[in-house]
Amino acid sequence: GENVEQHPSTLSVQEGDSAVIKCTYSDSASNYFPWYKQELGKGPQLIIDIRSNVGEKKDQRIAVTLNKTAKHFSLHITETQPEDSAVYFCAASRDSNYQLIWGAGTKLIIKP
Amino acid sequence: GAGVSQTPSNKVTEKGKYVELRCDPISGHTALYWYRQSLGQGPEFLIYFQGTGAADDSGLPNDRFFAVRPEGSVSTLKIQRTERGDSAVYLCASSLPNSPLHFGNGTRLTVT
């Protein structure tokens, strides 16, 4: 079955710098790749997603890139701010918006 | 508008007891999902409703777990004969067809 690996488990960056979180997946038929942000005591919140027919998608300070050949995708956050501190999860699925296989999460810490 | 609402936010119960967890989806969302999240992990799919019927219950771990959505809106997740291993955060999400999931803040279940 599908397996999603996420790195790093913890990432600490200076406020204003960029943060990059990487995920790899095993199922070459996966075609939907969302990223979720989860703050303490809250449910995951979708921040950006990408489908396999595009290689990159951007929304203000957040971008996701997808390399289907290498089966990896990455989240890029530029100009980081204190409110970006949270746990970020990547996920992958095949033709489904709910049968997601999730990464283990990355705790992002923004240092003032 | 209001998001997905889950009650209670916290539930402590003794091993062997029965518990019910409630989810109020976003108005108009026909799809409803239950997930379980253990500490330091991504959510794990339990069950998906389309309208009143369970379209996919392949994630329910055993027959102690059951969920209903009798009128196609509010859903209740029921756990019988709770075990300490059932302790986790139970997340509910809702969506429009084939659209991204919107999660509630979860119910933290502790079985003592």
Side-chain angles (χ1 to χ4, degrees):
Chain A
E2 173 71 284
N3 181 51
V4 175
E5 293 191 357
Q6 183 172 346
H7 300 280
S9 56
T10 305
L11 177 61
S12 184
V13 302
Q14 203 69 41
E15 181 179 350
D17 287 351
S18 295
V20 180
I21 302 170
K22 299 181 179 181
C23 288
T24 60
Y25 61 98
S26 60
D27 185 356
S28 57
S30 290
N31 55 15
Y32 176 60
F33 307 92
W35 285 89
Y36 283 84
K37 175 184 180 182
Q38 188 171 28
E39 297 175 342
L40 197 62
K42 297 191 175 181
Q45 177 186 14
L46 180 72
I47 55 172
I48 196 166
D49 58 6
I50 193 169
R51 295 196 179 270
S52 59
N53 57 346
V54 299
E56 184 174 0
K57 185 176 178 180
K58 191 173 181 181
D59 183 3
Q60 299 181 22
R61 297 187 296 110
I62 293 172
V64 57
T65 58
L66 171 65
N67 183 327
K68 286 190 295 182
T69 303
K71 291 190 284 189
H72 67 70
F73 56 114
S74 301
L75 177 71
H76 304 251
I77 306 174
T78 58
E79 301 171 17
T80 53
Q81 301 169 3
E83 53 266 36
D84 294 331
S85 293
V87 178
Y88 290 80
F89 290 96
C90 64
S93 76
R94 182 199 297 196
D95 296 326
S96 166
N97 65 330
Y98 71 92
Q99 278 278 22
L100 299 168
I101 305 300
W102 297 69
T106 295
K107 183 175 183 179
L108 178 62
I109 301 166
I110 308 301
K111 297 180 290 186
Chain B
V4 177
S5 175
Q6 291 188 247
T7 53
S9 55
N10 281 283
K11 176 71 176 178
V12 180
T13 191
E14 292 181 348
K15 178 176 178 295
K17 299 290 188 182
Y18 167 83
V19 296
E20 289 190 352
L21 312 180
R22 177 189 166 107
C23 174
D24 238 304
I26 293 172
S27 178
H29 280 193
T30 54
L32 185 145
Y33 318 81
W34 284 98
Y35 289 79
R36 177 168 68 176
Q37 186 175 26
S38 298
L39 194 63
Q41 298 181 22
E44 171 193 5
F45 168 73
L46 297 177
I47 187 169
Y48 155 49
F49 286 91
Q50 181 58 45
T52 60
D56 183 349
D57 64 357
S58 62
L60 294 177
N62 52 59
D63 60 7
R64 295 187 298 105
F65 289 75
F66 189 70
V68 296
R69 195 186 185 199
E71 297 178 358
S73 179
V74 171
S75 175
T76 305
L77 178 66
K78 309 180 180 195
I79 310 174
Q80 298 177 318
R81 305 183 303 280
T82 50
E83 299 176 357
R84 292 197 180 88
D86 298 336
S87 296
V89 175
Y90 289 82
L91 294 165
C92 176
S94 69
S95 77
L96 294 170
N98 299 314
S99 295
L101 275 56
H102 297 261
F103 283 88
N105 288 335
T107 294
R108 180 175 298 278
L109 176 67
T110 303
V111 182
T112 62

PDB file of all heavy atoms in Angstrom, chain B residues 25-54:
ATOM      1  N   PRO B  25     -21.659  18.944  10.960  1.00  0.00           N
ATOM      2  CA  PRO B  25     -20.860  19.385   9.807  1.00  0.00           C
ATOM      3  C   PRO B  25     -21.240  20.797   9.361  1.00  0.00           C
ATOM      4  O   PRO B  25     -22.208  21.377   9.850  1.00  0.00           O
ATOM      5  CB  PRO B  25     -21.239  18.365   8.737  1.00  0.00           C
ATOM      6  CG  PRO B  25     -22.662  18.018   9.068  1.00  0.00           C
ATOM      7  CD  PRO B  25     -22.715  18.018  10.586  1.00  0.00           C
ATOM      8  N   ILE B  26     -20.478  21.314   8.424  1.00  0.00           N
ATOM      9  CA  ILE B  26     -20.819  22.601   7.807  1.00  0.00           C
ATOM     10  C   ILE B  26     -22.126  22.429   7.037  1.00  0.00           C
ATOM     11  O   ILE B  26     -22.314  21.429   6.321  1.00  0.00           O
ATOM     12  CB  ILE B  26     -19.679  23.062   6.882  1.00  0.00           C
ATOM     13  CG1 ILE B  26     -18.438  23.393   7.717  1.00  0.00           C
ATOM     14  CG2 ILE B  26     -20.107  24.273   6.056  1.00  0.00           C
ATOM     15  CD1 ILE B  26     -17.193  23.683   6.906  1.00  0.00           C
ATOM     16  N   SER B  27     -23.021  23.392   7.189  1.00  0.00           N
ATOM     17  CA  SER B  27     -24.316  23.314   6.543  1.00  0.00           C
ATOM     18  C   SER B  27     -24.162  23.164   5.027  1.00  0.00           C
ATOM     19  O   SER B  27     -23.409  23.906   4.390  1.00  0.00           O
ATOM     20  CB  SER B  27     -25.116  24.587   6.854  1.00  0.00           C
ATOM     21  OG  SER B  27     -26.352  24.562   6.199  1.00  0.00           O
ATOM     22  N   GLY B  28     -24.868  22.181   4.474  1.00  0.00           N
ATOM     23  CA  GLY B  28     -24.816  21.971   3.031  1.00  0.00           C
ATOM     24  C   GLY B  28     -23.777  20.959   2.583  1.00  0.00           C
ATOM     25  O   GLY B  28     -23.783  20.519   1.431  1.00  0.00           O
ATOM     26  N   HIS B  29     -22.883  20.573   3.493  1.00  0.00           N
ATOM     27  CA  HIS B  29     -21.878  19.576   3.133  1.00  0.00           C
ATOM     28  C   HIS B  29     -22.510  18.189   3.191  1.00  0.00           C
ATOM     29  O   HIS B  29     -22.950  17.725   4.228  1.00  0.00           O
ATOM     30  CB  HIS B  29     -20.680  19.650   4.076  1.00  0.00           C
ATOM     31  CG  HIS B  29     -19.727  20.749   3.749  1.00  0.00           C
ATOM     32  ND1 HIS B  29     -18.464  20.841   4.302  1.00  0.00           N
ATOM     33  CD2 HIS B  29     -19.841  21.793   2.899  1.00  0.00           C
ATOM     34  CE1 HIS B  29     -17.845  21.890   3.806  1.00  0.00           C
ATOM     35  NE2 HIS B  29     -18.667  22.499   2.966  1.00  0.00           N
ATOM     36  N   THR B  30     -22.509  17.511   2.046  1.00  0.00           N
ATOM     37  CA  THR B  30     -23.145  16.201   1.992  1.00  0.00           C
ATOM     38  C   THR B  30     -22.227  15.081   2.484  1.00  0.00           C
ATOM     39  O   THR B  30     -22.685  14.024   2.881  1.00  0.00           O
ATOM     40  CB  THR B  30     -23.582  15.888   0.555  1.00  0.00           C
ATOM     41  OG1 THR B  30     -22.442  16.026  -0.316  1.00  0.00           O
ATOM     42  CG2 THR B  30     -24.675  16.860   0.101  1.00  0.00           C
ATOM     43  N   ALA B  31     -20.943  15.312   2.409  1.00  0.00           N
ATOM     44  CA  ALA B  31     -19.981  14.282   2.813  1.00  0.00           C
ATOM     45  C   ALA B  31     -19.469  14.555   4.222  1.00  0.00           C
ATOM     46  O   ALA B  31     -19.195  15.711   4.583  1.00  0.00           O
ATOM     47  CB  ALA B  31     -18.810  14.242   1.832  1.00  0.00           C
ATOM     48  N   LEU B  32     -19.352  13.495   5.008  1.00  0.00           N
ATOM     49  CA  LEU B  32     -18.865  13.597   6.387  1.00  0.00           C
ATOM     50  C   LEU B  32     -17.914  12.446   6.667  1.00  0.00           C
ATOM     51  O   LEU B  32     -18.149  11.312   6.225  1.00  0.00           O
ATOM     52  CB  LEU B  32     -20.047  13.570   7.370  1.00  0.00           C
ATOM     53  CG  LEU B  32     -19.710  13.782   8.855  1.00  0.00           C
ATOM     54  CD1 LEU B  32     -20.838  14.557   9.539  1.00  0.00           C
ATOM     55  CD2 LEU B  32     -19.424  12.492   9.570  1.00  0.00           C
ATOM     56  N   TYR B  33     -16.845  12.747   7.372  1.00  0.00           N
ATOM     57  CA  TYR B  33     -15.785  11.769   7.601  1.00  0.00           C
ATOM     58  C   TYR B  33     -15.399  11.762   9.078  1.00  0.00           C
ATOM     59  O   TYR B  33     -15.386  12.804   9.726  1.00  0.00           O
ATOM     60  CB  TYR B  33     -14.537  12.142   6.795  1.00  0.00           C
ATOM     61  CG  TYR B  33     -14.796  12.613   5.386  1.00  0.00           C
ATOM     62  CD1 TYR B  33     -15.193  13.924   5.129  1.00  0.00           C
ATOM     63  CD2 TYR B  33     -14.617  11.758   4.301  1.00  0.00           C
ATOM     64  CE1 TYR B  33     -15.428  14.363   3.840  1.00  0.00           C
ATOM     65  CE2 TYR B  33     -14.844  12.207   3.004  1.00  0.00           C
ATOM     66  CZ  TYR B  33     -15.249  13.508   2.782  1.00  0.00           C
ATOM     67  OH  TYR B  33     -15.479  13.939   1.493  1.00  0.00           O
ATOM     68  N   TRP B  34     -15.002  10.596   9.565  1.00  0.00           N
ATOM     69  CA  TRP B  34     -14.422  10.469  10.899  1.00  0.00           C
ATOM     70  C   TRP B  34     -12.992   9.954  10.759  1.00  0.00           C
ATOM     71  O   TRP B  34     -12.728   9.031   9.970  1.00  0.00           O
ATOM     72  CB  TRP B  34     -15.218   9.492  11.760  1.00  0.00           C
ATOM     73  CG  TRP B  34     -16.507  10.026  12.298  1.00  0.00           C
ATOM     74  CD1 TRP B  34     -17.756   9.838  11.801  1.00  0.00           C
ATOM     75  CD2 TRP B  34     -16.677  10.833  13.483  1.00  0.00           C
ATOM     76  NE1 TRP B  34     -18.698  10.470  12.586  1.00  0.00           N
ATOM     77  CE2 TRP B  34     -18.065  11.083  13.618  1.00  0.00           C
ATOM     78  CE3 TRP B  34     -15.802  11.361  14.434  1.00  0.00           C
ATOM     79  CZ2 TRP B  34     -18.585  11.847  14.674  1.00  0.00           C
ATOM     80  CZ3 TRP B  34     -16.326  12.114  15.469  1.00  0.00           C
ATOM     81  CH2 TRP B  34     -17.698  12.352  15.587  1.00  0.00           C
ATOM     82  N   TYR B  35     -12.099  10.588  11.535  1.00  0.00           N
ATOM     83  CA  TYR B  35     -10.713  10.179  11.594  1.00  0.00           C
ATOM     84  C   TYR B  35     -10.310  10.040  13.057  1.00  0.00           C
ATOM     85  O   TYR B  35     -10.940  10.601  13.953  1.00  0.00           O
ATOM     86  CB  TYR B  35      -9.788  11.221  10.945  1.00  0.00           C
ATOM     87  CG  TYR B  35      -9.874  11.309   9.442  1.00  0.00           C
ATOM     88  CD1 TYR B  35     -10.909  11.999   8.830  1.00  0.00           C
ATOM     89  CD2 TYR B  35      -8.905  10.720   8.633  1.00  0.00           C
ATOM     90  CE1 TYR B  35     -10.994  12.086   7.441  1.00  0.00           C
ATOM     91  CE2 TYR B  35      -8.974  10.814   7.245  1.00  0.00           C
ATOM     92  CZ  TYR B  35     -10.012  11.500   6.660  1.00  0.00           C
ATOM     93  OH  TYR B  35     -10.092  11.578   5.296  1.00  0.00           O
ATOM     94  N   ARG B  36      -9.215   9.324  13.281  1.00  0.00           N
ATOM     95  CA  ARG B  36      -8.653   9.201  14.626  1.00  0.00           C
ATOM     96  C   ARG B  36      -7.186   9.606  14.541  1.00  0.00           C
ATOM     97  O   ARG B  36      -6.477   9.192  13.619  1.00  0.00           O
ATOM     98  CB  ARG B  36      -8.781   7.751  15.107  1.00  0.00           C
ATOM     99  CG  ARG B  36      -8.166   7.498  16.458  1.00  0.00           C
ATOM    100  CD  ARG B  36      -8.573   6.149  16.994  1.00  0.00           C
ATOM    101  NE  ARG B  36      -8.010   5.041  16.240  1.00  0.00           N
ATOM    102  CZ  ARG B  36      -8.176   3.767  16.584  1.00  0.00           C
ATOM    103  NH1 ARG B  36      -8.894   3.470  17.661  1.00  0.00           N
ATOM    104  NH2 ARG B  36      -7.646   2.801  15.872  1.00  0.00           N
ATOM    105  N   GLN B  37      -6.760  10.432  15.497  1.00  0.00           N
ATOM    106  CA  GLN B  37      -5.375  10.904  15.485  1.00  0.00           C
ATOM    107  C   GLN B  37      -4.710  10.616  16.819  1.00  0.00           C
ATOM    108  O   GLN B  37      -5.146  11.108  17.860  1.00  0.00           O
ATOM    109  CB  GLN B  37      -5.314  12.410  15.176  1.00  0.00           C
ATOM    110  CG  GLN B  37      -3.899  12.930  15.002  1.00  0.00           C
ATOM    111  CD  GLN B  37      -3.850  14.397  14.581  1.00  0.00           C
ATOM    112  OE1 GLN B  37      -4.764  15.162  14.848  1.00  0.00           O
ATOM    113  NE2 GLN B  37      -2.780  14.780  13.901  1.00  0.00           N
ATOM    114  N   SER B  38      -3.652   9.830  16.759  1.00  0.00           N
ATOM    115  CA  SER B  38      -2.861   9.550  17.961  1.00  0.00           C
ATOM    116  C   SER B  38      -1.737  10.568  18.041  1.00  0.00           C
ATOM    117  O   SER B  38      -1.368  11.191  17.038  1.00  0.00           O
ATOM    118  CB  SER B  38      -2.298   8.131  17.909  1.00  0.00           C
ATOM    119  OG  SER B  38      -3.366   7.197  17.869  1.00  0.00           O
ATOM    120  N   LEU B  39      -1.182  10.721  19.217  1.00  0.00           N
ATOM    121  CA  LEU B  39      -0.171  11.744  19.461  1.00  0.00           C
ATOM    122  C   LEU B  39       1.020  11.576  18.521  1.00  0.00           C
ATOM    123  O   LEU B  39       1.568  10.480  18.376  1.00  0.00           O
ATOM    124  CB  LEU B  39       0.282  11.660  20.921  1.00  0.00           C
ATOM    125  CG  LEU B  39       1.076  12.853  21.442  1.00  0.00           C
ATOM    126  CD1 LEU B  39       0.216  14.115  21.404  1.00  0.00           C
ATOM    127  CD2 LEU B  39       1.576  12.595  22.849  1.00  0.00           C
ATOM    128  N   GLY B  40       1.384  12.652  17.849  1.00  0.00           N
ATOM    129  CA  GLY B  40       2.561  12.636  16.988  1.00  0.00           C
ATOM    130  C   GLY B  40       2.359  11.966  15.647  1.00  0.00           C
ATOM    131  O   GLY B  40       3.333  11.685  14.936  1.00  0.00           O
ATOM    132  N   GLN B  41       1.109  11.715  15.303  1.00  0.00           N
ATOM    133  CA  GLN B  41       0.823  11.064  14.019  1.00  0.00           C
ATOM    134  C   GLN B  41      -0.213  11.840  13.230  1.00  0.00           C
ATOM    135  O   GLN B  41      -0.928  12.684  13.768  1.00  0.00           O
ATOM    136  CB  GLN B  41       0.321   9.637  14.264  1.00  0.00           C
ATOM    137  CG  GLN B  41       1.328   8.741  14.951  1.00  0.00           C
ATOM    138  CD  GLN B  41       0.787   7.343  15.143  1.00  0.00           C
ATOM    139  OE1 GLN B  41      -0.135   6.908  14.447  1.00  0.00           O
ATOM    140  NE2 GLN B  41       1.360   6.628  16.089  1.00  0.00           N
ATOM    141  N   GLY B  42      -0.300  11.516  11.942  1.00  0.00           N
ATOM    142  CA  GLY B  42      -1.348  12.090  11.128  1.00  0.00           C
ATOM    143  C   GLY B  42      -2.664  11.381  11.377  1.00  0.00           C
ATOM    144  O   GLY B  42      -2.696  10.291  11.961  1.00  0.00           O
ATOM    145  N   PRO B  43      -3.776  11.988  10.951  1.00  0.00           N
ATOM    146  CA  PRO B  43      -5.082  11.346  11.139  1.00  0.00           C
ATOM    147  C   PRO B  43      -5.194  10.022  10.391  1.00  0.00           C
ATOM    148  O   PRO B  43      -4.616   9.851   9.321  1.00  0.00           O
ATOM    149  CB  PRO B  43      -6.048  12.385  10.561  1.00  0.00           C
ATOM    150  CG  PRO B  43      -5.311  13.683  10.641  1.00  0.00           C
ATOM    151  CD  PRO B  43      -3.881  13.332  10.396  1.00  0.00           C
ATOM    152  N   GLU B  44      -5.975   9.124  10.960  1.00  0.00           N
ATOM    153  CA  GLU B  44      -6.214   7.795  10.390  1.00  0.00           C
ATOM    154  C   GLU B  44      -7.695   7.702  10.042  1.00  0.00           C
ATOM    155  O   GLU B  44      -8.556   7.915  10.893  1.00  0.00           O
ATOM    156  CB  GLU B  44      -5.822   6.745  11.433  1.00  0.00           C
ATOM    157  CG  GLU B  44      -6.201   5.327  11.114  1.00  0.00           C
ATOM    158  CD  GLU B  44      -6.056   4.415  12.328  1.00  0.00           C
ATOM    159  OE1 GLU B  44      -5.757   4.937  13.431  1.00  0.00           O
ATOM    160  OE2 GLU B  44      -6.247   3.210  12.201  1.00  0.00           O
ATOM    161  N   PHE B  45      -8.004   7.383   8.797  1.00  0.00           N
ATOM    162  CA  PHE B  45      -9.393   7.328   8.321  1.00  0.00           C
ATOM    163  C   PHE B  45     -10.192   6.239   9.022  1.00  0.00           C
ATOM    164  O   PHE B  45      -9.717   5.102   9.198  1.00  0.00           O
ATOM    165  CB  PHE B  45      -9.391   7.078   6.811  1.00  0.00           C
ATOM    166  CG  PHE B  45     -10.735   6.730   6.245  1.00  0.00           C
ATOM    167  CD1 PHE B  45     -11.723   7.697   6.116  1.00  0.00           C
ATOM    168  CD2 PHE B  45     -11.018   5.428   5.844  1.00  0.00           C
ATOM    169  CE1 PHE B  45     -12.966   7.373   5.601  1.00  0.00           C
ATOM    170  CE2 PHE B  45     -12.260   5.105   5.318  1.00  0.00           C
ATOM    171  CZ  PHE B  45     -13.235   6.075   5.198  1.00  0.00           C
ATOM    172  N   LEU B  46     -11.410   6.559   9.413  1.00  0.00           N
ATOM    173  CA  LEU B  46     -12.304   5.577  10.018  1.00  0.00           C
ATOM    174  C   LEU B  46     -13.500   5.272   9.104  1.00  0.00           C
ATOM    175  O   LEU B  46     -13.717   4.122   8.735  1.00  0.00           O
ATOM    176  CB  LEU B  46     -12.823   6.080  11.369  1.00  0.00           C
ATOM    177  CG  LEU B  46     -11.781   6.298  12.467  1.00  0.00           C
ATOM    178  CD1 LEU B  46     -12.444   6.873  13.715  1.00  0.00           C
ATOM    179  CD2 LEU B  46     -11.058   4.999  12.784  1.00  0.00           C
ATOM    180  N   ILE B  47     -14.279   6.306   8.757  1.00  0.00           N
ATOM    181  CA  ILE B  47     -15.522   6.072   8.027  1.00  0.00           C
ATOM    182  C   ILE B  47     -15.925   7.331   7.265  1.00  0.00           C
ATOM    183  O   ILE B  47     -15.604   8.444   7.681  1.00  0.00           O
ATOM    184  CB  ILE B  47     -16.648   5.626   8.991  1.00  0.00           C
ATOM    185  CG1 ILE B  47     -17.916   5.208   8.223  1.00  0.00           C
ATOM    186  CG2 ILE B  47     -16.960   6.711  10.009  1.00  0.00           C
ATOM    187  CD1 ILE B  47     -18.954   4.520   9.111  1.00  0.00           C
ATOM    188  N   TYR B  48     -16.622   7.139   6.144  1.00  0.00           N
ATOM    189  CA  TYR B  48     -17.065   8.231   5.272  1.00  0.00           C
ATOM    190  C   TYR B  48     -18.552   8.054   4.986  1.00  0.00           C
ATOM    191  O   TYR B  48     -18.989   6.967   4.614  1.00  0.00           O
ATOM    192  CB  TYR B  48     -16.233   8.189   3.988  1.00  0.00           C
ATOM    193  CG  TYR B  48     -16.842   8.784   2.733  1.00  0.00           C
ATOM    194  CD1 TYR B  48     -17.416  10.050   2.727  1.00  0.00           C
ATOM    195  CD2 TYR B  48     -16.798   8.068   1.533  1.00  0.00           C
ATOM    196  CE1 TYR B  48     -17.947  10.588   1.563  1.00  0.00           C
ATOM    197  CE2 TYR B  48     -17.330   8.598   0.368  1.00  0.00           C
ATOM    198  CZ  TYR B  48     -17.895   9.849   0.383  1.00  0.00           C
ATOM    199  OH  TYR B  48     -18.418  10.383  -0.766  1.00  0.00           O
ATOM    200  N   PHE B  49     -19.310   9.124   5.183  1.00  0.00           N
ATOM    201  CA  PHE B  49     -20.733   9.142   4.867  1.00  0.00           C
ATOM    202  C   PHE B  49     -20.977  10.034   3.662  1.00  0.00           C
ATOM    203  O   PHE B  49     -20.446  11.137   3.568  1.00  0.00           O
ATOM    204  CB  PHE B  49     -21.550   9.721   6.032  1.00  0.00           C
ATOM    205  CG  PHE B  49     -21.685   8.803   7.203  1.00  0.00           C
ATOM    206  CD1 PHE B  49     -20.763   8.830   8.236  1.00  0.00           C
ATOM    207  CD2 PHE B  49     -22.750   7.920   7.290  1.00  0.00           C
ATOM    208  CE1 PHE B  49     -20.892   7.989   9.334  1.00  0.00           C
ATOM    209  CE2 PHE B  49     -22.897   7.080   8.381  1.00  0.00           C
ATOM    210  CZ  PHE B  49     -21.966   7.107   9.404  1.00  0.00           C
ATOM    211  N   GLN B  50     -21.817   9.559   2.759  1.00  0.00           N
ATOM    212  CA  GLN B  50     -22.350  10.413   1.701  1.00  0.00           C
ATOM    213  C   GLN B  50     -23.855  10.450   1.966  1.00  0.00           C
ATOM    214  O   GLN B  50     -24.553   9.466   1.744  1.00  0.00           O
ATOM    215  CB  GLN B  50     -22.030   9.838   0.317  1.00  0.00           C
ATOM    216  CG  GLN B  50     -22.537  10.699  -0.818  1.00  0.00           C
ATOM    217  CD  GLN B  50     -21.986  12.120  -0.784  1.00  0.00           C
ATOM    218  OE1 GLN B  50     -20.804  12.355  -0.582  1.00  0.00           O
ATOM    219  NE2 GLN B  50     -22.864  13.090  -0.981  1.00  0.00           N
ATOM    220  N   GLY B  51     -24.349  11.578   2.428  1.00  0.00           N
ATOM    221  CA  GLY B  51     -25.740  11.643   2.862  1.00  0.00           C
ATOM    222  C   GLY B  51     -25.919  10.842   4.144  1.00  0.00           C
ATOM    223  O   GLY B  51     -25.145  10.965   5.083  1.00  0.00           O
ATOM    224  N   THR B  52     -26.919   9.993   4.171  1.00  0.00           N
ATOM    225  CA  THR B  52     -27.211   9.215   5.374  1.00  0.00           C
ATOM    226  C   THR B  52     -26.459   7.897   5.432  1.00  0.00           C
ATOM    227  O   THR B  52     -26.337   7.302   6.508  1.00  0.00           O
ATOM    228  CB  THR B  52     -28.713   8.899   5.458  1.00  0.00           C
ATOM    229  OG1 THR B  52     -29.089   8.151   4.294  1.00  0.00           O
ATOM    230  CG2 THR B  52     -29.550  10.181   5.499  1.00  0.00           C
ATOM    231  N   GLY B  53     -25.958   7.445   4.298  1.00  0.00           N
ATOM    232  CA  GLY B  53     -25.346   6.121   4.256  1.00  0.00           C
ATOM    233  C   GLY B  53     -23.842   6.141   4.380  1.00  0.00           C
ATOM    234  O   GLY B  53     -23.176   7.062   3.908  1.00  0.00           O
ATOM    235  N   ALA B  54     -23.307   5.086   5.005  1.00  0.00           N
ATOM    236  CA  ALA B  54     -21.859   4.938   5.105  1.00  0.00           C
ATOM    237  C   ALA B  54     -21.334   4.420   3.773  1.00  0.00           C
ATOM    238  O   ALA B  54     -21.553   3.261   3.419  1.00  0.00           O
ATOM    239  CB  ALA B  54     -21.504   3.983   6.235  1.00  0.00           C
TER     240      ALA B  54
END
